[in-house]
Amino acid sequence: MAERVRWGVLGVARIATLKVIPAMQAGQWTEVAAIASRDIMKARAAAGALHIPKAYGSYEELLADPDIDAIYNPLPNHLHVPWTIRAAQARKHVLCEKPIALNADEAAGLIAVRDAAGVLIQEAFMVRTHPQWQRAKELVRSGRIGPVRSIVGVFSYFNDDPTNIRNIPEWGGGGIMDIGCYLIHTARFILDREPLRVAAAIERDPSLRVDRLASMVLDFGDAQVTGTCATQTVPWQRVQILGTRGRIEIEIPFNALPDRPSRIFVDDGSDIAGAGIETMALPAVNQYTIQADLFSRAILDGAPAPYPLEDSIRNMRVIDAVFRAAESGQWEIPA
Ligand SMILES: NC(=O)c1ccc[n+]([C@@H]2O[C@H](COP(=O)([O-])OP(=O)(O)OC[C@H]3O[C@@H](n4cnc5c(N)ncnc54)[C@H](OP(=O)(O)O)[C@@H]3O)[C@@H](O)[C@H]2O)c1
């Protein structure tokens, strides 16, 4: 294999063309070698604008290219598993956008495909490798805030465009799938275990039918996580991690900006007005560059994926339980 992993991109998704491809191109081990679209004109336009050498007018042609090592899959959610399977069967490693599937059972089907093809498959939860989450986890591990008892998270934006993929229920639309998944993912990452049971309330847009407001309680026994995600409110995001002796606040937990330091606040609680807060500013990084480079490096080294597929399936099991709990009005056990 070449010095850099040669990537191909499925579709000209906004996240790909605006954020992930430019970030990948800044990577040390990552080269974006081709892009495919269902429309060759769109593929050529994106390739020209982003200086990508090859453009294909179908996803099949990209997967048939022997000079492509890995695929980035930013298709709508209902196409994540089908095209990840096709890419793996073409012996390509796959970094697939979140959420990796429509539900845990669909995600679980990827394990056999991955193992049969001998490729890496990873869900693109870029937040996990951002230094601010790594630092938060180190602080928790070091005992700085005492045992974690509560995590409170909010993630919201406003988007009621009926043509947006997020507002089409059959395509895996809705706030829980789009952004609630981050609240669950990061809480499980910090606590390093699975919730015992889940309760939730969901309000759906009456015409779009997707969840536009959802709140969840994840019960981890001696710790509880409460999260709200909303797709028709003012944009905002914050995570608070409360221990017995201190609190960690992550200022921009999910869409950390690549052009300025990320800040986390560590509060010893000694002063209600915040005099006891220590501000930690982490140097500006692009979390999509880090994500792609770590995945590329794992491919080059023949190492396992940095974020295992098995963990993605556990995350999906919690998402499934959130939907079940909102429906049943009862606690549901992720299983
Ligand atoms: N990690 C993150 O920070 C982040 C941020 C935003 C979104 N995402 C994820 O990235 C994915 C894409 O989101 P996006 O907002 O970028 O989507 P988008 O702009 O709507 O793009 C989706 C792409 O999928 C392709 N596609 C194939 N079949 C399609 C169909 N039947 N209908 C519509 N598009 C189809 C299209 O490419 P062609 O027309 O070129 O074939 C289209 O450009 C989602 O899974 C989302 O959850 C992740």
Side-chain angles (χ1 to χ4, degrees):
M1 192 179 287
E3 268 304 285
R4 287 167 182 254
V5 171
R6 299 160 302 179
W7 288 76
V9 179
L10 288 174
V12 297
R14 267 175 294 239
I15 184 62
T17 52
L18 297 178
K19 291 195 178 166
V20 177
I21 293 172
M24 290 172 89
Q25 288 171 325
Q28 194 180 349
W29 315 113
T30 302
E31 174 190 333
V32 182
I35 187 163
S37 170
R38 294 164 301 168
D39 175 345
I40 183 65
M41 299 308 287
K42 278 165 56 181
R44 284 198 187 124
L50 291 160
H51 310 291
I52 300 170
K54 286 192 257 186
Y56 289 117
S58 74
Y59 303 160
E60 287 84 354
E61 285 171 85
L62 172 63
L63 298 188
D65 183 341
D67 294 330
I68 295 297
D69 309 308
I71 295 292
Y72 169 55
N73 177 353
L75 296 174
N77 298 342
H78 68 304
L79 298 176
H80 285 177
V81 166
W83 280 99
T84 294
I85 290 175
R86 293 182 71 161
Q89 287 172 342
R91 297 282 190 273
K92 313 293 187 198
H93 306 280
V94 186
L95 178 67
C96 178
E97 267 307 337
K98 40 54 61 178
I100 196 154
L102 295 178
N103 54 57
D105 287 348
E106 192 194 25
L110 290 172
I111 299 273
V113 175
R114 175 197 66 185
D115 295 346
V119 296
L120 305 186
I121 299 178
Q122 179 178 303
E123 184 175 29
F125 268 126
M126 71 295 176
V127 291
R128 190 185 180 102
T129 43
H130 192 290
Q132 66 177 358
W133 279 102
Q134 296 289 329
R135 176 67 69 86
K137 184 140 177 172
E138 275 165 33
L139 287 164
V140 166
R141 274 204 187 121
S142 73
R144 170 81 181 259
I145 62 167
V148 174
R149 308 285 282 145
S150 166
I151 300 178
V152 180
V154 177
F155 195 175
S156 64
Y157 58 74
F158 195 100
N159 181 343
D160 62 356
D161 171 4
T163 65
N164 189 283
I165 59 167
R166 288 160 189 75
N167 286 323
I168 301 174
E170 295 74 19
W171 294 6
I176 294 168
M177 294 290 270
D178 194 43
I179 48 178
C181 60
Y182 287 105
L183 299 170
I184 295 168
H185 171 80
T186 50
R188 292 178 49 258
F189 174 64
I190 290 296
L191 290 167
D192 228 351
R193 56 191 200 272
E194 302 304 312
L196 306 172
R197 56 182 190 157
V198 172
I202 288 178
E203 196 255 343
R204 290 178 190 274
D205 182 291
S207 59
L208 299 170
R209 296 178 291 118
V210 293
D211 59 284
R212 64 179 176 184
L213 176 63
S215 296
M216 59 189 95
V217 180
L218 313 183
D219 182 3
F220 288 79
D222 62 1
Q224 295 171 359
V225 172
T226 53
T228 293
C229 57
T231 63
Q232 292 182 26
T233 69
V234 63
W236 195 57
Q237 52 186 271
R238 202 69 97 232
V239 169
Q240 307 279 353
I241 304 168
L242 278 68
T244 54
R245 291 195 302 277
R247 172 180 68 89
I248 299 169
E249 174 173 340
I250 305 183
E251 185 180 35
I252 307 181
F254 309 115
N255 298 122
L257 298 168
D259 59 353
R260 68 191 72 175
S262 300
R263 298 196 306 174
I264 60 181
F265 308 108
V266 184
D267 186 2
D268 64 10
S270 60
D271 176 39
I272 195 77
I277 292 177
E278 179 190 347
T279 300
M280 297 180 181
L282 293 119
V285 293
N286 188 316
Q287 57 188 345
Y288 301 106
T289 305
I290 297 174
Q291 170 178 256
D293 251 1
L294 287 176
F295 192 76
S296 293
R297 196 58 249 172
I299 293 170
L300 294 167
D301 292 344
Y307 171 51
L309 192 48
E310 286 76 2
D311 195 87
S312 293
I313 295 164
R314 289 193 284 275
N315 209 65
M316 290 288 339
R317 295 222 181 277
V318 180
I319 294 174
D320 290 353
V322 167
F323 283 112
R324 284 203 309 276
E327 191 70 27
S328 68
Q330 311 279 336
W331 288 101
E332 295 285 343
I333 297 170

